[in-house]
Amino acid sequence: MKFSQFIGQEDAGLGLLLNAVDPRCGGLLLVGGRGSGKSTLARLARGIIPAHLPFVELPLNVTEESLLGGIDLEQTLASGRPVLQPGIISRANGGVVFVDDINLLSRELLALLMEPQSRGMEIIQREGLTEQRESSFVILATMNPEEGDLSPHLADRIGLCAVMEEQNGRDERLAIMRLAKETPFFTVEHDREAMDLISVARGLLPEVRFSAQALEHLQQVVQRNISPGHRGDLFLYHAARACAALQGAADVEKEHIDRVANLVFSHRRLQLREEEQNSTEPEQPHDQDQQQNNEQRDDQGEQPPPPENGQDENDRHPSGEGEHESTVSMGESAQREEIMGVGAPFKLRRLSFRKDRRKRQANGRRTRTRIKGRGGRYVKSLLSSTEHDIAIDATLRACAPFQKARNRQGMLKIEQDDLRFRQRERRMGHLVLFVVDGSGSMGARQRMMETKGAVQSLLLDCYQKRDKVAMIVFRKDRAELVLPPTASVELAARRLAELPVGGKTPLASGLLKTHRLVRRTSMHHPEQRILVVLITDGRGNQHLTPETRKEEVSNLAGLLMEEPQCDFIVIDTEHKGNFLRSDLAMDLARQLEAEYYTIEALKSEYLAGMVQARMPG
Amino acid sequence: MHFPFTAIVGQEQLKTALILNVIDPGVGGLLVMGEKGTAKSTAVRALAELLPQLTVVRECRFHCQPDAELCSFCQERKKEAPLTLGQRKMRVVELPLGITEDRLIGTLDIEHAIKQGEKRFEPGLLADANRNFLYVDEVNLLEDHIIDLLLDSAAMGVNSVEREGISFSHPARFILVGTMNPEEGDLRPQLLDRFGLCVQVSGLHGKEQRMDILRRKAAFDSDATAFGVQWREQQEELAQRIVDARERLNSVELTDSALEKIVTITSALQLDGHRADIVIMKSARALAAYRGLPDVGSAEIRDGALLALPHRQKRLPFEELGSERGRLERVLEESLP
């Protein structure tokens, strides 16, 4: 298949051409959903760059040594002195590095990839060897945002970004099928015409003039597209010139700038939104060099899809509803049991943890973590370690330069100092423990449905992050573990739907049960991080002890606080429009140092998200 | 000795889906959802057993196809002398749940490196899987990074390795068959989408059928050879039918009106991306070839869609798998009069 046969997605195609004309356009990031053709298009790029230029693929299995280069085992042995083997970055010099699913790669590796690109220089330091060489290459990357975010600071390093739009046009779909019919296996063919076009444009490029007027217009465009930093301006400048060259123009005109503005700013605007969102969480540091922060943002990406009927969530409070609810909650006697439907789920506020450096053995996607043991991705080798397995490849490379001195005959001689160890990495999920108030005070139909909707949304988030979930329900005279920790979020959703409501509110029992489960879990899995999501209006009315209800609850909260691996979220289900509001859940949240949300707050985040999604760009 | 494919009772959808993948590997694999003990792995093994031998480059670790893209080793050898060819049965390569990255994609041959001081690529499971079935039981329980690597190669048909000082790539075209029990955890929708077809299997409940299963299994267990002889004719007939279908595949007519029908279905279901269109098209075409038809008709599109769409439909969050089946059938009813 040829580049020019690709159907639709003009912006993405233009982005590729611009980079082929002038690498100073800074690379291209293709963002699109599954099956949108982003990887296909990126691979077709190989057919439009001259055959002598490298096109190096960076697979997901890459290790740090392979990216940067390292000791070449064979040549070092042969020559008796250390010889460097070029890594991907060196091999790509002057050409393209293609990274499919860039957001699945570790942040550290990406930082290592981007650094020489922005410095224009590659510095290799391996086993006492240092080499510097010039380095210039273009990054071509794809990502599916459903799979997680790309840290905005890394995204900012990539010059252009094209969002692959949903292509539901009937004619286009037909044309794509016709093409697929003819090409049973995908192979890339050279596209002569496109290459000719590029080479003509490359010839014109040095002559393309940027008039003062055009610069003026560029500034205006930059002003309109508020984006942090100045990288955008520069990329816009080069992209506009390349665009003019492609069209055979001697001067950059306004339309060239306008044509490429979206490519330059689509991901930078996103970045800005991200930062606005982050700034609402003041406890999180903002230093861009802080790895930790990058990691954390990375993990905020996966969000549930918007619900079908998200809109009417807002109009669901007919005035009569509140009264009805208050009568029930005041009575608290509701002995009847009922099973309410599950309210529509909504897009969630992003819940995430600060990345921690403790080593864990766990599996999931919420937080990336360094781990002990043998599972997970081998990312790089370390000099010393007591708890990692030996990285044989790195050990062999380390011992290679000394073989002559050690008088090797046949087998390699390996000494203690040569040993290198594997550092592995894996994303870690958490145990998310839902503690749900199922008492009569929750019994107002509307309230419970909304609560179920909230839990449902949180479950979706867990599903995408590979968390384990468990559920405790407290109602009538006791708390019950209705779902022991499981990886099946599906099962949790089913339990949730079946959840009956009615009876008194044994909040203390709920907390006690929670504490027991937390203790038990941390005994078996001392490294498991636990997120307790407490969903209640805080109005406990069932005592366990002779103490007052309030004391009892605060004692239990104190007990829970002693569990170091626990984080808490309190979702207050009390109707805040009600003049009898007690804000008891808020007190509890304070005692637990929990993040506190009302259902409305969770929801408004969702609505805010909707608004943002509709912003142009 | 394997249980004969043709002697498997029921599970027609599963059998058809497997056969379509053999006729056109471009269909893109199969995800089997369902309970244990429903002849899933038996069916895959039995089908591999039934198929005619592949022509391969002799002594190639990747069983290269002589007339297709070769691995780096074969390319080198070809320069020196014409490649010697051999015949090989298609195999079922199993991917165990606890597999490590090294074992999957291949790694540095350590023994060779220590003894000879040379680096050599030690092929992994993806090398074994080339041109074979790759069977992953409980694919939803695989570690995430393993699934990512697996699907990466499955999508491109190539395994590129960049680690441990090794830079190597080889063809990795396999028919991916995954099984999962949704109760034990989900698969990300992005990953679901990578499987070409999806069938749901359940135990058979008809008394008659259960009796058949018992009878056949008992006969096979007491004398596998005699049982094999009994089924030989059906086996050979099916093998021939598959071979014929493969040959006919490219001459099957796919009219514009057939393509229109496919788009009508996928638009009505508001499916994202283009994989759904393409997979329906390919499976409908393979079905027509299998049925010996000159062109793709409504029946093939319908049956192709029933295999290609169960896992691609938009589900409400946590809506049970299978509940959208009714929606699919309604749309098919309307789109394919």
Side-chain angles (χ1 to χ4, degrees), chain A residues 73-111:
Chain A
L73 180 68
E74 281 170 29
Q75 296 204 32
T76 302
L77 287 176
S79 67
R81 59 185 174 77
V83 178
L84 276 182
Q85 174 183 8
I88 288 179
I89 290 175
S90 311
R91 273 159 39 212
N93 196 12
V96 177
V97 175
F98 169 47
V99 196
D100 207 8
D101 288 318
I102 192 169
N103 48 338
L104 296 184
L105 267 174
S106 100
R107 250 62 345 220
E108 275 168 47
L109 280 170
L110 286 179

Side-chain angles (χ1 to χ4, degrees), chain A residues 61 74 91 147 365 490, chain B residues 119 144 162 186 188:
Chain A
N61 61 51
E74 281 170 29
R91 273 159 39 212
E147 296 269 19
R365 298 179 66 80
E490 200 113 355
Chain B
K119 51 184 184 197
D144 256 19
E162 292 285 353
D186 323 80
R188 288 178 277 156

Side-chain angles (χ1 to χ4, degrees), chain A residues 329 332 437 439 441-442 505 507 535-540 571-576 582-586:
Chain A
S329 59
E332 291 259 333
D437 185 342
S439 67
S441 65
M442 302 286 289
T505 314
L507 176 59
I535 300 145
T536 180
D537 56 9
R539 300 188 191 189
I571 296 173
D572 189 348
T573 57
E574 187 176 56
H575 196 296
K576 297 298 176 192
S582 62
D583 286 336
L584 284 169
M586 202 189 275

Side-chain angles (χ1 to χ4, degrees), chain A residues 25-70:
Chain A
C25 292
L28 177 66
L29 174 65
L30 296 172
V31 179
R34 51 182 191 263
S36 60
K38 51 192 187 311
S39 305
T40 305
L41 181 61
R43 287 193 158 86
L44 288 172
R46 191 191 286 244
I48 62 166
I49 64 167
H52 66 275
L53 292 182
F55 187 99
V56 185
E57 195 166 335
L58 198 157
L60 290 178
N61 61 51
V62 72
T63 51
E64 189 183 301
E65 277 97 341
S66 290
L67 183 65
L68 301 177

